[in-house]
Amino acid sequence: MPKAKYDQIYRDLKEKIETEVYSYQEMLPSEHMLVREYGCSRNTVRRALAELTADGYVQPMHGKGVRNIFRPVEQAAFTVGGIESFKESSARNKRKGTTQVLQFAEIIADEKIEKRTGFRKGICLYYIQRLRFLNGIPLILDHNYFLKEAVPGLTPEIASQSIYDYLEGTLGITITTSKRTLTVEHVTQIDEKYIDLKDYNCMAVITSQTFDDNGIQFEYTQSRHHPDFFRFQDVATRKTH
Amino acid sequence: MPKAKYDQIYRDLKEKIETEVYSYQEMLPSEHMLVREYGCSRNTVRRALAELTADGYVQPMHGKGVRNIFRPVEQAAFTVGGIESFKESSARNKRKGTTQVLQFAEIIADEKIEKRTGFRKGICLYYIQRLRFLNGIPLILDHNYFLKEAVPGLTPEIASQSIYDYLEGTLGITITTSKRTLTVEHVTQIDEKYIDLKDYNCMAVITSQTFDDNGIQFEYTQSRHHPDFFRFQDVATRKTH
DNA sequence: GCCGATTTGTCCGTATGTATC
DNA sequence: CGATACATACGGACAAATCGG
């Protein structure tokens, strides 16, 4: 938990927006006011506001002020957003998440794997297949590839709990960046075997390459979601052309 | 095209990374070096680097340096990323995009529409249905709702070209923020009527609420994509817990 | 282990530009 | 026109992490 001043301000403003201390479309106090309120420099206030802007919470308007454009979202499905473990996502979506390990193996990357995952050929990887349950219903099928040298000592036992807890807690790895691609793909035999898709013949597929704070890619994951329980959210800002 | 100094530096570094002047996993010059190279302050360099970090191009490492973690992506499908018009996306994906307007109507928002789109009940909207072709093949079906008072004078003729060109060019609107949700949904009768989905019974659906620089939501769009020609990309960074 | 040099991270105060009212 | 508000930029200071001697 960072104790940086800008982060404190960011969290404080974020909560005020979420709890409607400032209502939708209302202006926040000016930067000058916030400087006085928080007893810091203008740069620091601006940094907090920049993060809220990136989150889609506020919109700064040149010469006018900063407007609250946040609206709460209904959480009907299983919402995916930032980098989160399944455990964290389950908690945020207020569901009980459990995991069943279907496969756990050590493999050597060949050319096909290199092309798909970004791991160099010849490198030793853990390959793990896991089935994810929400409130007892199997909804997500994960195929994980972990770089063995970066993530030593992985066991099926750990995989059935939270690998991220192990990485961040026990190994002290800092997870930093995740590049994700989202596609819609036909169901496979494995999907059908474990997940009741009713009449869907597709799944929502997130593939991600995850990096630690040394810029080393230690994970490639393909996460296949039941369409009825999948929702991906995003805020984009337009770049000038 | 902003002529801000940090933006120049950002673009310059971005191009150097893309053209592999710095190769994958290589360190960029230190901030101090960049300051000398560009003749600016350290803050300005840092701002450019912050944007590259958000793009997933580099990863700064405390006490060590800034590492290039960019890898070119193969463009097999139709890649969706930031806020773009169909025209812009087509060009970026190197495809010829054309548009057929299926419906063009003025409607008044009722409660159902309010709940779905975020436009208040009673407000006057343009409703537009458009079929998008890539290289002559129909692949995307768009349902647009535009706030009439914010986007006056829209015509089917404009809708068959680029509405964004009209908004930004003729009307002088600045498009700023877009909140998007991505789901996988069953095909509808309309989908099937216009798009050849082969044996897919799902589509990739992006719904977006778009705001101008006054924080006014002027657009709600549901964009339904053929699975074979859909790919959404994203870079996430992990927040400390 | 310690120290100093280097590098990134945070924060401040100030100045100037530009848009709005 | 002046006052207010956000945008950009500079230079400096200190902290924290890393690395080499």
Side-chain angles (χ1 to χ4, degrees), chain A residues 11-237:
Chain A
R11 286 172 204 252
D12 189 61
L13 288 175
K14 189 168 189 169
E15 183 172 338
K16 280 181 177 163
I17 291 168
E18 284 169 349
T19 58
E20 299 188 69
V21 173
Y22 311 118
S23 56
Y24 182 62
Q25 292 290 7
E26 187 184 338
M27 293 293 188
L28 267 61
S30 75
E31 294 175 357
H32 179 66
M33 296 293 287
L34 293 173
V35 163
R36 286 199 346 191
E37 184 177 336
Y38 290 106
C40 67
S41 77
R42 190 162 157 244
N43 281 337
T44 304
V45 162
R46 280 182 64 74
R47 179 152 182 190
L49 290 174
E51 294 206 22
L52 290 170
T53 306
D55 289 345
Y57 271 49
V58 301
Q59 176 145 147
M61 289 172 292
H62 200 156
K64 288 198 271 196
V66 178
R67 173 169 280 161
N68 170 15
I69 59 169
F70 168 81
R71 275 192 187 168
V73 287
E74 353 116 34
Q75 305 255 31
F78 187 73
T79 306
V80 179
I83 304 179
E84 279 183 329
S85 68
F86 175 68
K87 190 175 159 186
E88 291 161 349
S89 299
S90 308
R92 188 173 44 75
N93 284 280
K94 296 188 173 56
R95 281 183 169 75
K96 183 166 178 287
T98 50
T99 297
Q100 179 187 346
V101 179
L102 302 177
Q103 268 196 54
F104 188 99
E106 292 185 24
I107 60 171
I108 308 291
D110 58 20
E111 255 175 47
K112 215 177 98 187
I113 291 179
E114 168 168 345
K115 193 161 162 37
R116 192 165 81 253
T117 66
F119 290 122
R120 297 237 184 284
K121 182 180 158 184
I123 287 224
C124 192
L125 305 171
Y126 290 112
Y127 171 65
I128 306 168
Q129 215 177 83
R130 294 189 286 181
L131 187 59
R132 311 292 210 166
F133 298 77
L134 287 171
N135 293 346
I137 306 166
L139 295 177
I140 304 169
L141 189 69
D142 280 358
H143 303 263
N144 304 105
Y145 297 81
F146 284 98
L147 187 63
K148 190 184 171 188
E149 62 183 60
V151 188
L154 216 55
T155 64
E157 166 65 19
I158 294 169
S160 73
Q161 301 301 317
S162 172
I163 293 184
Y164 271 32
D165 278 357
Y166 175 68
L167 301 185
E168 295 185 316
T170 309
L171 294 183
I173 291 176
T174 305
I175 298 160
T176 308
T177 306
S178 185
K179 303 186 189 184
R180 297 181 294 193
T181 301
L182 215 147
T183 54
V184 176
E185 296 182 13
H186 274 299
V187 295
T188 65
Q189 288 189 342
I190 302 177
D191 296 336
E192 281 180 329
K193 180 174 174 187
Y194 293 107
I195 298 178
D196 176 19
L197 287 159
K198 302 197 185 74
D199 58 341
Y200 285 110
N201 65 13
C202 303
M203 299 193 81
V205 178
I206 301 181
T207 63
S208 54
Q209 298 178 312
T210 311
F211 295 75
D212 69 12
D213 59 346
N214 289 314
I216 305 298
Q217 182 194 334
F218 66 92
E219 177 189 5
Y220 172 89
T221 288
Q222 186 185 88
S223 198
R224 306 174 69 85
H225 294 243
H226 190 303
D228 279 343
F229 297 84
F230 175 80
R231 169 192 293 264
F232 181 91
Q233 287 192 333
D234 180 58
V235 175
T237 50

Side-chain angles (χ1 to χ4, degrees), chain A residues 10 59 61 64 67 69 88 168 176 178-180 182 199 201 212-214 232 234 236 238-239, chain B residues 10 59 61 64 67 69 88 176 178-180 182 199 201 212-214 232 234 236 238-239:
Chain A
Y10 164 72
Q59 176 145 147
M61 289 172 292
K64 288 198 271 196
R67 173 169 280 161
I69 59 169
E88 291 161 349
E168 295 185 316
T176 308
S178 185
K179 303 186 189 184
R180 297 181 294 193
L182 215 147
D199 58 341
N201 65 13
D212 69 12
D213 59 346
N214 289 314
F232 181 91
D234 180 58
R238 176 131 170 115
K239 309 215 172 184
Chain B
Y10 164 72
Q59 177 147 138
M61 289 171 294
K64 289 200 271 194
R67 174 168 280 163
I69 59 169
E88 291 161 350
T176 308
S178 184
K179 303 187 189 183
R180 297 180 294 192
L182 214 148
D199 57 341
N201 64 13
D212 68 12
D213 60 346
N214 290 313
F232 182 91
D234 180 58
R238 177 131 169 115
K239 308 216 172 183

